[in-house]
Amino acid sequence: MPFAPYRRVLAVPAARTALLLGLFLRIPMFAGGVVLTLHIVQTLHRGYAEAGVVSALATICIAISGPWRGRLLDRIGLRRTVVPSIIVTALVWSVAPFVGYLPLLLLAIPAGLFVTPTFSILRQAIITAVPDAERRTALSLDSVGVELSFMLGPVLGVWAATTWSTTWVLFAAEMLTVVGAIAVWVVNPVMRSEGHDADAAHLPRREWFSGAFLAVLAAAAATTLVLSGCDVAFVAAMRGYGAVGSLGPVLAVWGLGSALGGLVYGALHRSLPVFALLAGLGIVTVPLALASGPVSLALLSFVAGLFCAPTITATVDAVSRVVDERARGEAMGWHGSAMTAGSALGAPVAGAAIDLQGYAGGFALVGLLGVLVATSGWATVRLRRRRRAAVDVAAAA
């Protein structure tokens, strides 16, 4: 695998800073989600369903905040957008770990609505920092960073929560996210190329909220639907094997496959179509249903993981290319909301299939849904292109 493209990206100081900031911000973020569940179950003595309600409410609020906070990035800039997030997050999480279940549930609302739009900020900074030819490589590195954070954050969170009080571990994890947001404010990464005036950044939504953009959002939602559905199916499979203790290593192999796939995709000389990668993700997910034990599941998950990071990277790259950079903040917010919606749908969809057909049904259903969305999206895009070509021919005649 050629590493020259990655050396070129890492040689750019702004890109290198954004990638490092991403690791610093996301590890405590992923740790905090796991610690919050453990805190509700172990310290507040509530059920997993009640912990799920808190997570679901926060997820809904994060999905709502994505486009809104992204639009603020476009219109008033990074620092003025991030300051309210820093203040609200610090206030909420200085109280939430020390209260009962109902106040914690209510505090999840402002916490979700005012979450720092780190994914949107960092991806815009990376896109702006590198030439167009290096964009896919840089975004692939960012996706690999997300995978590393996803693998490290929960492990560190569970270790800390089983060593010390979940109250103080939750407080520490969320305060680290506040420190990360302050670091973003201090660094203030450039998110718009030279020549674009931030005060004139407003671009009417009707000029960019197009069919092509909606198609990318559908692909992003389908991608996370497949991934979150697999999360549930992995748990069901390992319980069925009587090997729940090996769940962590299996998920780590899955993540390793994703990280390797992201690196390979970033080193390619040309991009691959979003719907082709989504179809590939769905196709390699279905065989997970054939696993007969932890070893075979791990091997199949490594293959399935190869398409995870590339598909997510392709959706981010596509958004950056179909939307003018003056509206890129809001567009990235919509992209994040689509991925959040897909994640929220994946678990219940896979869960329903697991209840009927076991873990094999969960893997098979979400994989087939990924292929279905990819096929439908590809057909829709081709149809729109043919219609546009027909209109152009008629206009020329």
Side-chain angles (χ1 to χ4, degrees):
M1 182 175 64
F3 289 97
Y6 292 108
R7 284 196 295 268
R8 289 195 294 269
V9 170
L10 293 174
V12 179
R16 191 167 59 245
T17 299
L19 290 167
L20 290 174
L21 272 176
L23 281 174
F24 181 69
L25 285 163
R26 290 162 180 158
I27 289 176
M29 180 184 71
F30 286 125
V34 175
V35 175
L36 177 61
T37 298
L38 293 174
H39 176 71
I40 293 171
V41 174
Q42 293 181 6
T43 303
L44 301 184
H45 306 293
R46 298 285 183 146
Y48 283 99
E50 290 166 299
V53 170
V54 175
S55 297
L57 183 60
T59 298
I60 292 170
C61 292
I62 291 171
I64 292 171
S65 75
W68 164 51
R69 308 292 287 167
R71 189 173 181 83
L72 289 176
L73 286 173
D74 293 330
R75 303 200 66 173
I76 65 176
L78 184 150
R79 284 185 164 172
R80 292 169 63 189
T81 301
V82 168
V83 166
S85 293
I86 294 172
I87 295 172
V88 172
T89 302
L91 290 175
V92 166
W93 290 109
S94 63
V95 175
F98 307 97
V99 299
Y101 177 77
L102 184 58
L104 176 61
L105 180 66
L106 296 176
L107 286 169
I109 297 174
L113 290 175
F114 284 88
V115 68
T116 305
T118 54
F119 280 86
S120 179
I121 290 171
L122 295 175
R123 284 169 175 165
Q124 287 188 81
I126 290 169
I127 290 168
T128 304
V130 299
D132 285 354
E134 311 292 344
R135 181 178 301 180
R136 175 171 40 82
T137 302
L139 290 174
S140 294
L141 271 177
D142 182 62
S143 294
V144 172
V146 173
E147 291 294 336
L148 292 175
S149 302
F150 180 73
M151 287 189 286
L152 289 173
V155 171
L156 293 173
V158 170
W159 170 76
T162 53
T163 304
W164 298 291
S165 165
T166 59
T167 298
W168 288 105
V169 174
L170 179 60
F171 174 81
E174 297 300 341
M175 288 304 107
L176 281 174
T177 65
V178 174
V179 173
I182 294 173
V184 170
W185 185 90
V186 172
V187 174
N188 192 23
V190 177
M191 298 189 299
R192 188 172 291 112
S193 59
E194 295 183 6
H196 283 83
D197 185 2
D199 295 331
H202 177 61
L203 186 69
R205 192 177 288 117
R206 64 179 179 275
E207 294 187 21
W208 59 268
F209 208 94
S210 61
F213 177 64
L214 289 173
V216 176
L217 294 187
T223 301
T224 51
L225 183 149
V226 173
L227 300 183
S228 64
C230 283
D231 281 335
V232 177
F234 275 121
V235 175
M238 298 306 288
R239 289 187 64 187
Y241 302 146
V244 176
S246 299
L247 176 61
V250 170
L251 292 178
V253 171
W254 189 37
L256 178 63
S258 179
L260 180 60
L263 288 173
V264 171
Y265 181 64
L268 296 179
H269 295 294
R270 60 186 297 271
S271 299
L272 298 177
V274 172
F275 291 114
L277 288 167
L278 176 59
L281 175 64
I283 290 169
V284 297
T285 296
V286 172
L288 289 167
L290 304 176
S292 57
V295 175
S296 60
L297 184 63
L299 293 174
L300 290 169
S301 70
F302 179 81
V303 177
L306 293 173
F307 280 82
C308 296
T311 308
I312 294 174
T313 298
T315 63
V316 178
D317 189 17
V319 168
S320 71
R321 296 185 187 281
V322 300
V323 178
D324 187 279
E325 70 173 326
R326 290 174 293 168
R328 192 176 286 159
E330 184 178 356
M332 289 294 181
W334 281 106
H335 177 270
S337 296
M339 296 186 71
T340 301
S343 296
L345 286 172
V349 167
I354 291 167
D355 289 339
L356 292 174
Q357 299 292 332
Y359 69 86
F363 285 126
L365 179 59
V366 296
L368 291 173
L369 286 175
V371 174
L372 177 62
V373 173
T375 305
S376 301
W378 175 79
T380 301
V381 170
R382 282 186 63 84
L383 180 61
R384 289 178 60 86
R385 287 176 179 171
R386 287 180 179 178
R387 288 179 176 175
R388 190 180 299 115
V391 170
D392 291 342
V393 169

